[in-house]
Amino acid sequence: MSDLHNLSVKALATLLQSKEVSAVEVATRFLARMGGNPHNAFLDIDSEVTLAQARASDAKLADGTAGPLEGVPVAHKDVFVTRDFATTAGSKMLSGYRSPFDATVVQRLRTAGMVTLGKLNCDEFAMGSANENSAYGPVQNPWDTARVPGGSSGGSAAAVAAGLAPAATGTDTGGSIRQPASFCGITGIKPTYGRASRYGMIAYASSLDQAGPMARSAEDCALLLSAMCGGDIDRDSTSLDIPTEDFSASLNNSLEGLRIGIPKEFFGEGLAADVRAAVDGALREYEKLGAKLVPISLPRTELSIPVYYIIAPAEASSNLSRFDGVKFGHRAKDYTDLVDMYKKTRAEGFGNEVKRRIMTGAYVLSHGYYDAYYLQAQKIRRMIADDFQNAFKQCDVIAGPVAPSVAWKFGENANDPVADYLADIFTLPASLAGLPGMSVPAGFGASGMPVGLQLIGNYFKEAQLLNAAHRLQQATDFHLRQPEGLQ
């Protein structure tokens, strides 16, 4: 079948289970599309490993021991460690590194039967909003190769949008699943903090990092999320010991009477007119489906930016201290003593954005500034979480834009890193509160670039979010549209 790359995860799983196609046939099709690494989406590809996994899946499909997603391809963001592929986190610091074990997310998707296509490009150590910070070059947006795909999971979003993979894993610290999903016109969900294990996920900010799936539709994301989630408390102290859930079970529930909160802070000055028009159009569709729009307020939305860029760099400065050239990763060739080796190794191995955040984090944690900055940021973080709980007394789901604009052109913010930070204003609050959030294709801007609608739910309400997203996608075709020239 020549159109395998255009099929959804659900459709591929159905074809594989009925043996209309083989896992090897599906994997071969995607490997052929990945030749030449379009859009610089992948950092490591090993066709022998992929085909070996596909053959193993075919054997399970033949003997009746297949998993629910047996033979369906997936690609992993390069912050998930893998035994069979290199893991670099998009950094020179880990160039060529191979882990002795798989991350829990990788392991669980493999247990479900998924075949790994390779590792995906990302901002270095997941630090960025544009995927311009990778040590291995930027990822191109398939809708316009002169524009960014969003970050840090830009390789994941671009691979799915370009038909290089039917699904991918991503991580979301301050919006790094939702924003690239919006910029590339696909669907992505960040579950409640602790739903998916962080074991084997290279840490950026430990109290914020969360894994999640990226695919074309909410239905596909539900299938992947069901396989990814589950307690892992023996290996991840932040993992929640709650039972796994079938997120597909309630996809077709009616939205009659669903209260959708519209925060006034998400629709003020700074929101591009074309983004607002697309989001407003999606909200009108919800009204047609029986939902009720309710005005709400999230008064500390603007404070989420300074709070995040104090807490996240503080945690990063601690997490990245392990990359010193002693046990693994890059080590400077010429040095005079241990301290000199530390300095030169980190100067050579880390990129500018990573250095910027490490230095910021070390500063806010230093003597005399901890109380003034870090402690105050944590207090406001609690207030932001309380704002959401007050809002959820009035509504069931919160909706708004994912980002203030569509994807910008490469180099547009090169000399102004703060401009990139400001692009996260609508995604940061949910991350700071640890709430589930997702991006759903909602239309296109004046430039023809995709626009995402953000849906935010209360804790453990992923099924409700996916239901709302799926019903919108049943009523619209934005998630089915593809970049021009995609074959």
Side-chain angles (χ1 to χ4, degrees), residues 275-455:
V275 172
R276 172 152 196 168
V279 170
D280 285 345
L283 294 175
R284 287 193 294 271
E285 290 292 337
Y286 274 122
E287 288 184 302
K288 294 177 186 176
L289 292 167
K292 179 182 178 182
L293 305 186
V294 180
I296 62 168
S297 177
L298 296 172
R300 296 177 178 86
T301 295
E302 287 190 1
L303 292 177
S304 65
I305 294 177
V307 168
Y308 176 86
Y309 284 103
I310 289 173
I311 293 174
E315 295 183 11
S317 70
S318 175
N319 281 325
L320 271 63
S321 64
R322 72 193 67 179
F323 301 106
D324 55 12
V326 175
K327 291 185 177 179
F328 55 85
H330 174 75
R331 178 185 293 184
K333 291 183 178 179
D334 301 312
Y335 50 88
T336 56
D337 54 28
L338 184 62
V339 173
D340 189 46
M341 188 269 283
Y342 286 158
K343 291 179 179 178
K344 288 181 178 177
T345 293
R346 292 168 68 81
E348 293 170 7
F350 290 138
N352 289 336
E353 183 60 29
V354 173
K355 292 175 184 176
R356 185 181 294 119
R357 298 195 192 195
I358 289 173
M359 292 174 67
T360 300
Y363 177 81
V364 300
L365 290 176
S366 61
H367 180 69
Y369 296 102
Y370 177 90
D371 290 345
Y373 294 106
Y374 184 75
L375 194 59
Q376 294 303 315
Q378 291 287 18
K379 290 178 180 178
I380 299 173
R381 181 183 189 176
R382 178 71 263 171
M383 294 176 185
I384 290 171
D386 290 343
D387 286 345
F388 276 106
Q389 292 310 303
N390 290 331
F392 283 123
K393 294 175 183 177
Q394 308 167 58
C395 65
D396 305 304
V397 172
I398 295 171
V402 173
S405 69
V406 297
W408 54 86
K409 293 186 176 181
F410 284 112
E412 210 167 288
N413 298 333
N415 298 317
D416 185 9
V418 176
D420 279 0
Y421 301 168
L422 293 173
D424 298 333
I425 188 169
F426 302 138
T427 55
L428 291 176
S431 291
L432 289 165
L435 294 166
M438 66 184 300
S439 176
V440 188
F444 298 85
S447 59
M449 296 299 294
V451 173
L453 172 74
Q454 181 175 203
L455 299 175

Side-chain angles (χ1 to χ4, degrees), residues 124-182:
E124 185 179 7
F125 288 104
M127 298 182 189
S129 300
N131 222 141
E132 292 181 286
N133 295 331
S134 171
Y136 306 98
V139 177
Q140 299 171 333
N141 191 314
W143 290 88
D144 180 351
T145 55
R147 294 177 185 264
V148 302
S152 61
S153 306
S156 302
V160 173
L164 307 179
T169 55
T171 61
D172 194 309
T173 304
S176 290
I177 286 175
R178 290 162 287 163
Q179 189 239 40
S182 174

